[in-house]
Amino acid sequence: MKDRHWRTRYRVGGYEVWGTSLDSEERRRHAPYAEPADIGLYLDERWRGETDARTPYFVYWPTLEAPVERSLLVRRIKEAAAALENGATVEVACFGGHGRTGTVLCCLDVVLGGTTAHAALERIRREYCHYAVGSADLQHFLFDVEKELVPRAPEPLPAGETC
């Protein structure tokens, strides 16, 4: 049986994010000791009606392929990163807490940890769960979206040109 995650803590940069699976026994028992997250980023429609985050966000992403709502997902990842920087707690969740959740945790690592997508992928499998980002489509998406997540420096003007 694969690992299940109930607010598994994962460090991205200097921040802690929670990875959660819908099918976690601890979640099913409602773990009364757990404080809800400020922001919840839910990547599976089965979470509707199941969340306890103070502000839940849903991104339609029904399979372990590339996300259907890519631009919305990128925006939500950047918003989650900004929320973490402002002291919020953030939970990322899908059904099993591995594929989609692992992919978003890697994306947050790219944004906040200043790492590459390749390094983020190696680290998440070592430190969070070896099942994370478990399909070729998810890996391809992670490597492809990296350029959208990392702010680029402005291009220098050609020699002799001014604004």
Side-chain angles (χ1 to χ4, degrees):
M1 176 182 223
K2 288 188 175 182
D3 297 333
R4 297 301 180 221
H5 300 280
W6 165 248
R7 295 190 173 152
T8 301
R9 286 151 171 40
Y10 187 69
R11 303 273 320 161
V12 292
Y15 309 97
E16 184 178 271
V17 183
W18 301 337
T20 297
S21 56
L22 183 62
D23 61 346
S24 156
E25 275 300 313
E26 292 87 353
R27 191 203 70 75
R28 289 282 178 207
R29 283 184 272 154
H30 300 289
Y33 56 87
E35 188 70 25
D38 295 317
I39 305 289
L41 182 52
Y42 300 100
L43 311 169
D44 192 296
E45 289 297 309
R46 291 173 278 195
W47 272 99
R48 291 203 183 270
E50 298 279 337
T51 68
D52 69 350
R54 292 180 181 94
T55 305
Y57 293 109
F58 292 88
V59 175
Y60 183 67
W61 193 355
T63 66
L64 297 179
E65 297 172 359
V68 174
E69 298 179 311
R70 180 187 176 115
S71 62
L72 175 61
L73 178 62
V74 170
R75 187 172 81 229
R76 293 293 187 220
I77 290 168
K78 290 178 179 180
E79 291 169 353
L84 285 163
E85 288 176 321
N86 288 316
T89 53
V90 174
E91 175 176 49
V92 179
C94 62
F95 185 74
H98 304 108
R100 294 165 287 180
T101 295
T103 302
V104 169
L105 292 175
C106 282
C107 290
L108 286 167
D109 205 9
V110 168
V111 173
L112 294 169
T115 189
T116 66
H118 284 278
L121 178 61
E122 288 177 9
R123 190 170 84 78
I124 199 159
R125 287 181 174 161
R126 186 176 62 248
E127 296 178 19
Y128 171 76
C129 180
H130 62 276
Y131 297 110
V133 195
S135 76
D137 286 339
L138 293 177
Q139 288 180 47
H140 178 73
F141 166 73
L142 174 62
F143 300 146
D144 186 56
V145 78
E146 179 179 18
K147 61 186 168 282
E148 294 175 52
L149 297 173
V150 179
R152 293 191 328 207
E155 295 286 324
L157 292 172
E161 289 189 29
T162 60
C163 291

